[in-house]
Amino acid sequence: MLTGLIFATEEAEHQPGVLAATLPFGGMTLIEYQARLLLAAGAGQVLVAVGRVTPSLAAAVNRIGRRGITVDIVRTADEAKAKAHPLATIVALADGLVTTDAVVEGMALEPADTLLVTPNGDATAVERVDADHCWAGVATLSIARLDDAARLPPEYDFQSTLLRVATQARAAHVLLPAKAARSGHGVERDAGTLEVRSKDVLASLAEQRTGWIDRYVFTPVARLLLPLLVRRKVPDVAIGAAGAHWGSPDWRRSHSGERVRRPCCCSCRW
């Protein structure tokens, strides 16, 4: 069983009291976008690690739960361990992380205890893990890492603690693809910059279409219209429906190797 773990504790820049996870992104909140990526990667449960629950965060969590996925709010590693299935593999996303479905789906296929990393000094770095690498915001972890983190004092930062115990357990490293960095991958807590990042990510998702008719007809239309729809706050259901209408469905591989249809332009299952 795959369980997603999203961190939502940090405040947005220049907006006291507002959590970065609740900033607008792609016609929804950032945390809802992250949940969609996890669901598309095969997660059957999402844990949201919080320090406090704001009205905006509670509303976003409720909307995620309406999509048919189990969502639990946790405050500590001990609570996360209690909520997760004992045989679950955890895919953790850093607080405020912007990325694409290709990155999350790729990490979900990695063996437990694998960190997505980037060279030190890279703009996409989240936190240093050794002399040469920094964490790039995605980790595939065994349930044992939650157990390790739960043994440490609860006042420690949950995200950093989990990263530290994974590093001490000699987690493998996977280097962030250069294409992902160009597509807007990275942690962002400023609303204005996040809007720019959302356009980059939407354009990257549109570029994933295959076949000459997708590349030369539907992709240019999606690239032009999706940012306009997002800026006008068109509901995400309408955006998904438009994406499905514009192009033929893509094919992708499920975890079992079965070929399954990708239902819309943003590659989610919702």
Side-chain angles (χ1 to χ4, degrees), residues 49-85:
V50 304
R52 59 191 176 90
V53 179
T54 65
S56 295
L57 180 63
V61 169
N62 285 337
R63 287 193 295 271
I64 294 169
R66 291 193 202 113
R67 305 294 185 172
I69 187 171
T70 302
V71 187
D72 292 295
I73 291 176
V74 298
R75 287 174 172 78
T76 64
D78 197 44
E79 288 184 15
K81 179 191 171 187
K83 293 289 186 180
H85 190 280

Side-chain angles (χ1 to χ4, degrees), residues 239-259:
I239 294 175
H245 177 72
W246 287 336
S248 303
D250 295 332
W251 289 100
R252 66 176 179 81
R253 295 279 179 180
S254 69
H255 293 296
S256 63
E258 179 186 1
R259 296 175 77 236

